[in-house]
């Protein structure tokens, strides 16, 4: 058995000049990127490189996925390849760390899924992904006017302060729901699809440098011709809503709207989202 495995980045339309685009690219583990084509239909291609088996075999990969520094390096290399491809052709991004025993196995999976991949690429053509996050920051909302507490015991004054704080939080969360409704309306107007992701908490939120609590984390598939209108509506979704912030990121290749390859052929170990 070879000590190298085939790492797959994306299924693509085999557009003119694509091989020339992939030739100078370096992927995960600084490995050269190449194109594996479907022998029955050279309009489809699987973009791959070769990575050390000792890092990407199942047991080693499980350990590496606990190493945030290693994971970030792989994610950035993976994303860099996909972004370069997206400038040239329609891309169906694959999950991070999708690996196969060799190029022949990767080609077999590509050929087996030929119809599904072609349909999915057609759906994603001329579309990009935009991420939309909504944050609440109760401390940024105006507090209720203070009421003299000279005639209150310390205990009653404390309880009243807590009630006022809770009232502010409730108002901010209601405002966040209003912002979410506005974003959803923009999606219905401009986007082709939406995916709801788990909100960012803990280490993910810390790594992203988030300020405030993330309460909405959605992805929208938007036609290129509708991006300006979508962004204009999303940008104003928090207007007049104290303590609420809406953040749009992109455009990305459509990570959230792609489908993983048949996992019987390789290991899809983590969602391929933009770093």
């Amino acid at each position: 058995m070879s000590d190298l495995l085939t790492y797959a980045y994306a299924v693509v339309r085999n557009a003119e000049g694509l091989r020339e685009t992939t030739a100078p690219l370096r992927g995960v583990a600084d490995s050269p990127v190449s194109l594996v084509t479907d022998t029955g239909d050279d309009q489809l291609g699987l973009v791959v490189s070769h990575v050390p088996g000792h890092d990407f075999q199942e047991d080693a990969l499980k350990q590496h996925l606990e190493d945030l520094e290693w994971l970030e390096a792989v994610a950035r290399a993976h994303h860099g390849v996909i972004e370069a491809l997206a400038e040239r052709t329609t891309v169906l991004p694959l999950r991070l760390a999708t690996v196969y025993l060799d190029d022949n196995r990767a080609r077999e999976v590509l050929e087996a899924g030929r119809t599904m991949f072609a349909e999915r690429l057609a759906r994603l053509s001329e579309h990009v992904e935009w991420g939309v996050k909504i944050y609440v920051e109760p401390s940024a909302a105006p507090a209720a006017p203070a009421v003299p507490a000279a005639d209150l015991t310390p205990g009653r004054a404390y309880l009243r302060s807590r009630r006022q704080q809770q009232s502010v939080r409730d108002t901010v969360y209601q405002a966040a729901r209003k912002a979410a409704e506005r974003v959803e309306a923009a999606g219905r107007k401009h986007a082709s699809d939406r995916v709801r992701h788990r909100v960012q908490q803990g280490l993910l939120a810390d790594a992203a440098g988030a300020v405030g609590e993330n309460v909405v984390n959605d992805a929208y598939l938007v036609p290129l011709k509708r991006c300006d209108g979508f962004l204009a509506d999303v940008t104003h979704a928090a207007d007049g809503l104290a303590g609420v912030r809406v953040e749009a990121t992109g455009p990305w290749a459509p990570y959230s709207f792609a489908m993983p390859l048949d996992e019987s052929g390789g290991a899809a170990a983590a969602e391929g989202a933009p770093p």
Side-chain angles (χ1 to χ4, degrees):
M1 178 183 297
S2 170
D3 60 353
L4 293 177
L5 297 174
T6 296
Y7 184 109
Y9 299 88
V11 179
V12 297
R13 289 180 184 269
N14 190 9
E16 183 178 354
L18 187 60
R19 288 189 183 276
E20 290 74 14
T21 297
T22 59
L25 296 179
R26 310 291 292 192
V28 173
D30 198 35
S31 56
V33 173
S34 60
L35 187 66
V36 171
T37 55
D38 182 340
T39 55
D41 181 2
D42 63 3
Q43 295 305 303
L44 288 180
L46 186 61
V47 179
V48 305
S49 66
H50 299 110
V51 295
H54 61 78
D55 278 334
F56 287 88
Q57 289 172 351
E58 185 174 0
D59 290 342
L61 191 55
K62 287 180 180 178
Q63 294 182 10
H64 278 312
L65 292 177
E66 302 297 323
D67 182 345
L68 291 182
E69 185 175 343
W70 184 91
L71 189 60
E72 181 182 6
V74 171
R76 289 192 179 280
H78 182 99
H79 179 61
V81 170
I82 288 175
E83 288 297 289
L85 295 169
E87 293 180 2
R88 172 70 66 171
T89 187
T90 303
V91 178
L92 182 63
L94 302 181
R95 288 184 177 185
L96 199 70
T98 297
V99 294
Y100 295 91
L101 290 177
D102 52 35
D103 287 3
N104 286 334
R105 178 57 187 142
R107 182 177 288 105
E108 289 172 1
V109 173
L110 179 64
E111 292 174 353
R114 180 186 306 161
T115 300
M116 183 269 288
F117 294 137
E119 290 174 350
R120 180 61 56 142
L121 284 166
R123 176 174 176 265
L124 298 180
S125 179
E126 299 297 316
H127 284 71
V128 291
E129 175 176 332
W130 288 92
V132 180
K133 296 183 177 69
I134 298 178
Y135 296 91
V136 294
E137 302 174 57
S139 61
V147 177
D151 57 341
L152 295 180
T153 65
R156 289 182 178 275
Y158 171 77
L159 290 175
R160 187 179 64 186
S161 174
R162 293 290 292 174
R163 284 195 297 269
Q164 290 174 338
Q165 291 174 6
Q166 187 60 49
S167 176
V168 170
R169 286 183 62 84
D170 290 346
T171 299
V172 170
Y173 280 98
Q174 290 173 7
R177 284 193 288 272
K178 180 65 174 179
E181 291 171 0
R182 293 174 179 175
V183 170
E184 290 170 9
R188 289 191 296 270
K189 181 179 179 182
H190 300 289
S192 301
D193 201 357
R194 179 186 70 171
V195 169
R196 310 214 79 159
H197 293 304
R198 287 179 295 179
V199 296
Q200 291 185 328
Q201 298 175 323
L203 290 176
L204 277 178
D206 293 342
V211 177
E213 179 188 353
N214 181 211
V215 295
V216 171
N217 183 13
D218 290 351
Y220 286 87
L221 183 67
V222 184
L224 290 173
K225 62 184 180 181
R226 303 303 298 267
C227 287
D228 289 346
F230 176 75
L231 287 177
D233 288 350
V234 167
T235 298
H236 294 290
D239 285 1
L241 302 174
V244 178
R245 178 166 55 89
V246 177
E247 178 183 284
T249 58
W252 309 110
Y255 290 87
S256 299
F257 304 90
M259 297 174 63
L261 290 179
D262 178 1
E263 293 189 8
S264 65
E271 289 188 5

